[in-house]
Amino acid sequence: MVAPTSHAIAEAARRLAAGELVAFPTETVYGLGADAANPDAVRQVFLTKGRPADHPLIVHVADAADVEHWAMPVDEPARRLMAHFWPGPLTLILPRRPTVSDAVTGGQDTVGVRCPSHPVAQALLRAARRLGVMGVAAPSANRFGRISPTRAAHVRSEFGQQVPCVLDGGASHVGIESTIVDLSRDTPAILRPGQISAAALSAVLGVPLTGNDSGAMSTEGPATPRVSGSLAAHYAPGTMLQLVPAQELAKRLQQLHAAGQQVALWSPTEPSTPVMHWRQAPTDVDAYARELYATLRELDGLASDVIVLEAPPSAPAWAGVRDRLRRAVAGSGQMPSGEGLGQG
Ligand code: TXA
Ligand code: MG
């Protein structure tokens, strides 16, 4: 882990240009980056993460003009969204240029592009561009299926010295992955909800978006792109995770207590039943999203029998959070506590 001095950023850019991997902060989560034009480097990302090779990666660019290197055509709806939301937590799925490597796109005829706003990501992308790297392919810097990292220390605990270069840009302030909008089809569709909402997107595009702001999208059918973040089980802690509606929480905690279960709880109000550990959950969605992954890691590390989360509100603004929680629940409890977080 290294402080993002201009020297460290230049060194990280040099590594990218040499085909090495660099972990770097973005405003959403930390990414594990490689030169998107170097298929061997991109394959190294898949190997390091343990990610199936047919799951495409997002290409990160320094500014909107660089999208032309990867996508064609870049038409009016894409230009509008880029002008409005970039740099920021929005990924666009666009028709790819034929030159884009299958290693990046998973063999699809589209490419995902994003311009992150984090100043360290921006500095790195610009420094790499000066060395001829026109885009950095980067998934979240976690092992496949596990909790995404929002701090440099999380990346270190996922990969250890397997990824020697980790730029430390502090805590990611959005905290959940970018909203993904597919503009390659007849109608724009949300593939992954995030901080930028369906309402905000359709206000800029002037048309409603398909896909589901609640995050419940189909993963079936040949026309559906493969989105690893759309697998039912993802973003998961090793400890069993339960989402409990607010009105049922007191009763569930009593039942768990009676059964002798050690509970780690994240809820807005302090429980009346004793628990092993209680952490106060924010009631503001942005603060909740910002703390979500670090909190899941912390609670997972306590070796409780179960992690209990009070289910968040059903308002549209919480769609991204609800989506991640649903997948975390589906994938939780499959490994001994803590093990899923990568030791070393
Ligand atoms: O906020 C983010 O998007 C973070 C930071 C690092 O930028 N990145 C991230 O990457 O979440 P990853 O690989 O963990 O998730 C990217 C998602 C995957 O589910 C992938 O399948 C989808 O984007 N994706 C990428 N290219 C695609 C394409 N051409 N068509 C459909 N989905 C695509
Ligand atoms: Mg990911």
Side-chain angles (χ1 to χ4, degrees), residues 122-137:
Q122 275 288 326
L124 176 66
L125 291 168
R126 283 163 200 280
R129 188 171 61 180
R130 286 193 290 276
L131 301 177
V133 175
M134 301 311 295
V136 172

Side-chain angles (χ1 to χ4, degrees), residues 22-286:
V22 169
F24 63 99
T26 84
E27 69 279 18
T28 57
V29 301
Y30 275 67
L32 181 61
D35 176 0
N38 181 337
D40 289 334
V42 172
R43 273 189 283 275
Q44 214 42 56
V45 172
F46 285 90
L47 286 175
T48 305
K49 271 191 70 110
R51 175 162 166 158
D54 62 350
H55 288 252
L57 302 183
I58 295 169
V59 178
H60 296 69
V61 292
D63 61 47
D66 292 345
V67 164
E68 311 279 349
H69 288 272
W70 309 98
M72 189 182 69
V74 182
D75 54 18
E76 177 57 22
R79 288 183 196 286
R80 270 202 212 177
L81 291 181
M82 293 188 298
H84 203 274
F85 294 107
W86 279 11
L90 178 68
T91 295
L92 301 180
I93 307 299
L94 301 173
R96 70 188 269 192
R97 277 191 185 270
T99 46
V100 181
S101 154
D102 282 345
V104 171
T105 65
Q108 303 191 57
D109 53 9
T110 54
V111 62
V113 286
R114 171 162 120 76
C115 177
S117 63
H118 194 294
V120 175
Q122 275 288 326
L124 176 66
L125 291 168
R126 283 163 200 280
R129 188 171 61 180
R130 286 193 290 276
L131 301 177
V133 175
M134 301 311 295
V136 172
S140 51
N142 53 281
R143 291 193 292 130
F144 183 66
R146 311 309 299 182
I147 302 171
S148 298
T150 52
R151 313 262 196 286
H154 299 164
V155 180
R156 178 59 78 229
S157 78
E158 289 284 319
F159 299 119
Q161 284 308 319
Q162 236 190 316
V163 179
C165 183
V166 180
L167 290 173
D168 187 350
S172 297
H173 83 267
V174 174
I176 59 172
E177 300 82 352
S178 59
T179 304
I180 302 181
V181 177
D182 188 351
L183 293 175
S184 70
R185 312 189 214 182
D186 293 342
T187 49
I190 294 183
L191 300 185
R192 181 174 71 184
Q195 188 194 53
I196 296 175
S197 68
L201 292 161
S202 64
V204 171
L205 287 177
V207 293
L209 281 88
T210 63
N212 188 331
D213 201 24
S214 75
M217 74 281 289
S218 164
T219 55
E220 312 299 331
T224 307
R226 291 164 292 231
V227 180
S228 74
S230 74
L231 296 177
H234 218 82
Y235 316 112
T239 310
M240 173 71 68
L241 177 64
Q242 295 182 3
L243 264 189
V244 181
Q247 65 277 15
E248 293 166 27
L249 186 60
K251 188 170 162 216
R252 179 71 61 86
L253 292 176
Q254 281 163 15
Q255 287 166 344
L256 290 166
H257 184 65
Q261 295 281 295
Q262 299 275 20
V263 173
L265 175 67
W266 199 34
S267 64
T269 49
E270 194 168 358
S272 46
T273 308
V275 291
M276 177 186 181
H277 184 84
W278 171 66
R279 205 175 184 295
Q280 185 162 32
T283 52
D284 168 73
V285 64
D286 290 338

